Amino acid sequence: MKEIRIVVAGNPNTGKSTLINAISGAKLQVGNWPGVTVEKKEAELTFFDYKLKFIDLPGAYSLSPFSIEEKIARDFLFTGAYDVILCVVDSTNLERNLYFVIQLMELGKPLVLALNMFDEAKKLGYKIDVKLLEGLLGVRAVTTVATKGEGIDELKRALVEVAERKILPKRLSYGEDLDFILERLRVKLREMNPELGKEFHQIGVLLKILEGDRELIELLKIKVSEEEIRELTEHIEKVHGEDIETFLADVRYGLASGVVKQVLSKPEIRKITLTERLDRVFLNRYLGIPVFLLLMWILFKLAFDIANPYVDFVDETISGPVAKWSGALLEVVSAPSWLSSLILDGVITGVGIVLSFLPVIGMVMLLVTLLESSGYMARAAFLMDRIMRTFGVQGKSFIPMLLGFGCNVPSVYASRVLTEEKERRLTIFLVPFMSCGARLPVYVVFISAFFPERSGTVLFFLYVLGILVAISVGIIFHRLFYKGVSSPFIMELPPYRFPTLRDLWVHTWMKLRHFVIKAGTWILAINIVIWVLLNLPWKPENPQESLLGKIGSAISPIFKPLGFGDWASASSLLAGSLAKEVVVSTMAQIYEAERPKEENGEINFLEDLKDIVINFGAKTKEAVVNVFSTFGIATLEPEGPEEAEGLLGRLQGHFTPLSALSFMVFVLLYWPCFVYGIATKAELGSFKLYGQAILLHTAIAWIVSFLIYQLGRLLGF
C-alpha cells in the first residue's frame, strides 16, 4: 500500500480542522510540534490502495512569519517531507485566501485547493467558475462543505491523482523586472551552491532570499552573497519606490485580485448577512459588554445545572461501589494494611474526588468551545480591546487570557501573538488571575455544599472577579512598570457558524484530555505524597498530629483573618500550590482520616451494577429538569440537610457560607501553579517573573479574601 503524505495549510477560520475531521472521521492524533507547545494534528486513513497521511499545519496568513504558528507552517512547507499540499480556502473570502495560495504555488509542489464553505458562498449569491480557476492557476480545485461532509470523496481522489501524476502549479509572472532578477539570482545560487537540488531553486526559495529571511536561509543551509542580494533589491526600490517586501505583497495581491475578477461574480445588490445582523447587537457600543456578561452567566449556570447531578453520580459511584469492590479485592489478596490505606484513602478518595468533577469541567469546556467555534469569542476579544488598552495591553491579549479559562499554561505560549515585549510580560503576569479548569473542582464542591441554589451566579462571580482583579492590577502595573502605548489591534472577525456535534466533541475532548492526563499522573503522585504526610508518624490517632497536620497548624494563623484558619484548610492550600486540583483531594483525604471507618457491606456485584444504572437514570432525569429550571420553566427543591454526606457534609461543619466564599476567592487568586512557572521560564528565559507572580498573586489573594470576609461580617453574613 502506497503512502501519500498530505500537508494541510490555510488561513485561520477557513474550516481547516473541521475538514480534516470530516476526512479522517475525527481520528486525530494530537501531539506537539518539536520544541514548542503548539498542537500538531495528524490523521491516517486508507483510500482504495493508498494510505493517506494528513499533517495539519497551524493557520497562517502568509509564509512571512509573525507568530510561532506561522513560523511552524513556513518551516515545514520549505523543509518538511510531503507529497502534496492541500490548501483549505474560504470560498466567501476568495481574494484574501488566494494571496496565501499564490505563496504556496511558489513552492513548486503538487497543490490541491479545497474551496470550503461553498454553501455559504452560494447563499451570498457568489458564483465561482471552478474550471477557470483551475486553468488559471494550474491546480485542482474541489468544492467542499466540511460541516456536511460534502465533496470529501472527490477531494481524496483529487489528492491521489495530483500526488501520483505530480501535477505542479503554473509558474506565474511577477512582471519583467522581478522575473529578470529571479533568473539572475537563480544563476548565482547555482554557482555558490552546486550541491543543492533543483528544489532549492524554486521561486519560493528565491523570493525568501530576496526578502532577507535569514532564519530560513540558515535552515536550508544556503550560501548567499549579501552584497549581490542588496544590489538586486536596491534595483526594485529605485525603480518602484518601495522595499522588496512591500513590492512582493503588492504583486501577490495584484495576482490574487486579477484571478478573482475573472472567476468570481457577485450579485449587484448585496444581501445583508446573518453575521451583520447579529453583530449589530453583539458588537454594539452599549449592548456588547452586557450581552457578553449575560452569555457568560447563562453558560456557567447551564453548565452547573446539567452537570451537577452527574458529579453526584460519579462521586457516589467511586466512593460507593468502586471503593467497596477495591476494599474486597484487597482483602482477597491479603494486601498489607498500609497498601490498603494508600489505595483506598490516598488514591480512590484523593484522585476519585478530583475525577468526580469531570462532568462540570467537561460541560464548561463544551460550552466555551461552542462559543469559540461559533465565531463569538473573536467578538469578545474585539469588545475587550477598549477596556484592555486602559492597562497597557491590546484586545489580542484577551485571546491568551481566554485560553486561561481552560489552563494557564497554553495561555503563556499563546502570548506569542503579541509583538510588544512589555505587553507579553504583562499579559503572562495577569494570566493566572483567569480561573483555569484546575480550580473548578474546588468551586464545584464548595458551591454544592453552600450555594446549591445560586451555583451559576456564584461561579459567574468568581470568573468575573478574576477578570476585574486582572484589570485593576494591570492598570496599576501599566502606570508603574509597563509604561507606553499599546500596539494597534487588528483581528479578523469570522462569520458566525454553528459547529457540528463531531467538532464540538473532538475539540472538547482535546481540552478535557489535558485534565484527565494530569489527574492520572502527577496529581496521583501528589496525592500519594499527601497520604504519606498524613500517615506519618504511622497512623496517628489525631490527623492533626501527622506531619501534614503540624505543617498546616504552623501556617494556619495566616488565614484566620480570612475565615478559614484551621490546619486542614492551610494544608490543602499548601498542596494546591503545585496543582489547584489537589486542594479538594487533600481535603478529602484529611476529612476521610478524621471520620470513623465503616465496615464494607456485603458484596453483590450484580446488585451494585443495577444500582449504578438506576442512579444514572435518576441523575439524567434531574439534569433534564435542571435545564428547564435554568430558564425558569421549573423549580427544584433544595436538598435537605440529611443528604449532605461525605466531603460536603464535613465542609459544612468546618466552614460557613461566608468563609467558603473567602476560601474560593483565595484559591482563585493565589500562587500560580508550578507548571505555569515552567512555561514562563521557557518563554522569558528565567523564573524571575514567576517568583514575582508567587509573591504578588498570593498577597493580592490574601487582601481580596480578607476584604470579602471582613466586609461580609460587618454586613451580618
Side-chain angles (χ1 to χ4, degrees):
M1 184 175 291
K2 185 173 181 179
E3 180 179 280
I4 298 177
R5 289 172 58 86
I6 302 159
V7 60
V8 187
N11 288 178
N13 303 312
T14 56
K16 193 158 56 72
S17 295
T18 306
L19 185 66
I20 290 183
N21 289 340
I23 291 172
S24 66
K27 296 174 183 176
L28 292 174
Q29 295 178 346
V30 181
N32 286 336
W33 289 92
V36 294
T37 58
V38 177
E39 280 184 341
K40 180 180 184 180
K41 301 173 188 174
E42 296 182 330
E44 285 187 8
L45 62 127
T46 301
F47 184 69
F48 292 106
D49 296 328
Y50 298 91
K51 179 190 285 186
L52 305 184
K53 182 172 183 179
F54 292 87
I55 302 150
D56 183 19
L57 295 180
Y61 289 107
S62 79
L63 296 182
S64 298
F66 291 98
S67 67
I68 187 66
E69 287 81 5
E70 288 186 334
K71 180 183 180 300
I72 289 169
R74 180 205 63 184
D75 290 352
F76 191 87
L77 286 166
F78 276 96
T79 66
Y82 55 89
D83 301 299
V84 61
I85 302 170
L86 169 59
C87 182
V88 185
V89 172
D90 178 357
S91 299
T92 66
N93 204 341
L94 195 58
E95 185 170 337
R96 192 207 63 205
N97 281 249
L98 281 183
Y99 177 84
F100 187 58
V101 170
I102 286 168
Q103 287 189 292
L104 296 179
M105 292 171 64
E106 294 166 357
L107 298 171
K109 297 289 184 74
L111 174 65
V112 174
L113 303 185
L115 301 178
N116 201 27
M117 307 177 198
F118 203 71
D119 56 337
E120 294 184 17
K122 283 183 178 179
K123 287 178 185 177
L124 293 171
Y126 294 179
K127 293 181 181 178
I128 301 174
D129 190 332
V130 179
K131 289 297 180 186
L132 180 57
L133 178 66
E134 290 182 326
L136 291 172
L137 301 181
V139 301
R140 282 294 309 276
V142 179
T143 62
T144 60
V145 182
T147 54
K148 300 175 183 176
E150 295 178 8
I152 300 302
D153 286 340
E154 185 183 349
L155 183 61
K156 292 176 186 175
R157 284 193 289 271
L159 288 166
V160 170
E161 179 189 353
V162 169
E164 283 285 45
R165 293 173 55 192
K166 293 184 170 51
I167 301 173
L168 301 180
K170 281 187 176 179
R171 186 193 182 285
L172 300 177
S173 174
Y174 292 84
E176 189 176 334
D177 278 344
L178 189 54
D179 286 346
F180 176 72
I181 286 173
L182 288 172
E183 191 53 42
R184 279 187 59 188
L185 180 58
R186 185 180 283 111
V187 172
K188 291 289 183 184
L189 202 62
R190 284 173 181 158
E191 291 175 359
M192 297 187 69
N193 302 271
E195 74 283 359
L196 296 180
K198 59 182 179 181
E199 67 271 13
F200 288 89
H201 303 133
Q202 293 294 340
I203 291 176
V205 176
L206 299 177
L207 291 175
K208 279 295 175 187
I209 293 172
L210 287 177
E211 288 175 344
D213 192 336
R214 294 297 315 169
E215 195 175 48
L216 183 63
I217 292 170
E218 290 174 7
L219 192 64
L220 295 174
K221 298 178 180 177
I222 296 175
K223 300 170 192 171
V224 295
S225 168
E226 297 285 346
E227 187 177 342
E228 291 180 353
I229 299 300
R230 190 163 49 251
E231 286 178 10
L232 295 174
T233 55
E234 281 177 356
H235 172 76
I236 293 291
E237 291 172 11
K238 288 176 183 177
V239 173
H240 297 276
E242 52 190 8
D243 62 67
I244 185 66
E245 289 187 35
T246 305
F247 176 70
L248 285 175
D250 289 344
V251 169
R252 287 170 179 143
Y253 271 119
L255 289 169
S257 179
V259 171
V260 168
K261 284 176 182 176
Q262 295 183 67
V263 303
L264 175 66
S265 62
K266 298 182 180 181
E268 291 183 11
I269 302 174
R270 194 176 68 84
K271 296 179 182 178
I272 298 175
T273 64
L274 176 63
T275 292
E276 291 171 318
R277 291 193 181 98
L278 290 174
D279 278 345
R280 288 174 184 172
V281 176
F282 292 142
L283 295 181
N284 185 278
R285 184 171 185 174
Y286 304 103
L287 294 177
I289 295 294
V291 168
F292 170 67
L293 294 174
L294 177 63
L295 284 174
M296 290 297 102
W297 178 80
I298 292 173
L299 182 150
F300 292 130
K301 181 161 178 23
L302 194 61
F304 249 95
D305 287 348
I306 293 174
N308 238 0
Y310 294 107
V311 171
D312 294 340
F313 168 75
V314 176
D315 181 39
E316 290 164 8
T317 302
I318 292 175
S319 62
V322 171
K324 188 166 65 173
W325 297 339
S326 302
L329 181 61
L330 289 166
E331 287 181 9
V332 169
V333 298
S334 301
S337 60
W338 68 267
L339 180 60
S340 297
S341 176
L342 172 61
I343 293 174
L344 297 175
D345 302 333
V347 176
I348 293 178
T349 299
V351 178
I353 198 71
V354 175
L355 292 178
S356 68
F357 302 116
L358 280 177
V360 171
I361 296 169
M363 198 67 208
V364 169
M365 290 178 176
L366 172 67
L367 294 175
V368 169
T369 301
L370 175 61
L371 291 183
E372 288 174 347
S373 303
S374 69
Y376 179 73
M377 280 308 187
R379 272 83 182 168
F382 181 81
L383 287 169
M384 295 298 292
D385 182 54
R386 187 180 306 153
I387 296 173
M388 299 185 78
R389 281 183 181 278
T390 61
F391 59 95
V393 295
Q394 51 167 293
K396 196 182 286 188
S397 293
F398 184 69
I399 298 169
M401 288 186 175
L402 184 67
L403 288 174
F405 289 132
C407 178
N408 293 163
V409 176
S411 298
V412 174
Y413 295 106
S415 67
R416 291 169 179 171
V417 301
L418 304 171
T419 54
E420 293 290 330
E421 180 64 19
K422 71 173 188 64
E423 291 181 356
R424 283 187 69 228
R425 294 182 69 87
L426 184 54
T427 300
I428 289 172
F429 182 83
L430 297 176
V431 154
F433 289 123
M434 302 298 105
S435 187
C436 67
R439 296 165 169 106
L440 264 178
V442 184
Y443 303 157
V444 173
V445 72
F446 275 86
I447 289 173
S448 299
F450 297 98
F451 309 101
E453 295 176 345
R454 301 180 186 86
S455 53
T457 303
V458 173
L459 186 61
F460 174 71
F461 164 76
L462 291 167
Y463 275 74
V464 171
L465 178 65
I467 295 171
L468 293 176
V469 170
I471 291 173
S472 303
V473 173
I475 291 171
I476 295 169
F477 274 54
H478 172 49
R479 292 180 178 173
L480 294 178
F481 309 112
Y482 297 97
K483 296 178 181 179
V485 180
S486 60
S487 58
F489 176 44
I490 301 172
M491 182 179 183
E492 178 190 5
L493 297 180
Y496 292 100
R497 301 185 180 97
F498 196 85
T500 63
L501 292 177
R502 177 191 289 172
D503 273 353
L504 284 176
W505 159 249
V506 170
H507 291 123
T508 301
W509 167 243
M510 283 163 57
K511 293 175 183 177
L512 193 59
R513 183 178 65 103
H514 171 75
F515 181 87
V516 173
I517 292 172
K518 212 174 170 188
T521 53
W522 63 290
I523 288 179
L524 171 62
I526 294 171
N527 273 282
I528 291 173
V529 172
I530 295 297
W531 175 85
V532 171
L533 293 175
L534 194 57
N535 285 277
L536 291 178
W538 183 244
K539 287 293 180 184
E541 292 185 9
N542 183 353
Q544 192 170 351
E545 296 172 0
S546 65
L547 287 178
L548 184 64
K550 290 175 181 177
I551 295 170
S553 298
I555 63 174
S556 61
I558 300 171
F559 304 107
K560 284 191 183 296
L562 313 185
F564 47 87
D566 63 310
W567 75 272
S569 303
S571 300
S572 301
L573 290 171
L574 186 62
S577 62
L578 294 174
K580 296 295 187 295
E581 303 96 329
V582 183
V583 171
V584 171
S585 60
T586 301
M587 282 188 163
Q589 286 196 59
I590 290 171
Y591 294 141
E592 184 68 21
E594 289 180 345
R595 192 169 64 173
K597 299 298 179 188
E598 298 177 3
E599 293 295 324
N600 285 330
E602 185 179 339
I603 300 293
N604 188 325
F605 188 73
L606 292 177
E607 193 65 31
D608 287 341
L609 282 178
K610 179 182 174 183
D611 290 342
I612 289 172
V613 173
I614 293 172
N615 192 24
F616 182 80
K619 298 302 182 185
T620 301
K621 179 181 177 182
E622 186 181 339
V624 172
V625 174
N626 282 0
V627 173
F628 291 114
S629 175
T630 295
F631 299 103
I633 301 172
T635 57
L636 292 178
E637 293 295 324
E639 292 184 356
E642 69 276 6
E643 293 178 20
E645 298 178 352
L647 180 57
L648 301 189
R650 305 291 293 181
L651 288 174
Q652 288 165 351
H654 288 76
F655 288 83
T656 65
L658 180 58
S659 64
L661 181 61
S662 174
F663 186 84
M664 286 189 288
V665 168
F666 192 85
V667 170
L668 164 69
L669 302 174
Y670 91 112
W671 197 302
C673 75
F674 186 64
V675 184
Y676 161 86
I678 295 172
T680 302
K681 165 70 165 59
E683 282 300 289
L684 302 180
S686 77
F687 281 110
K688 183 179 178 181
L689 186 68
Y690 180 49
Q692 294 169 347
I694 287 173
L695 296 173
L696 290 168
H697 281 244
T698 306
I700 291 165
W702 194 96
I703 292 168
V704 176
S705 294
F706 175 82
L707 291 174
I708 285 176
Y709 183 70
Q710 297 300 335
L711 286 173
R713 289 183 64 192
L714 287 174
L715 294 172
F717 290 103

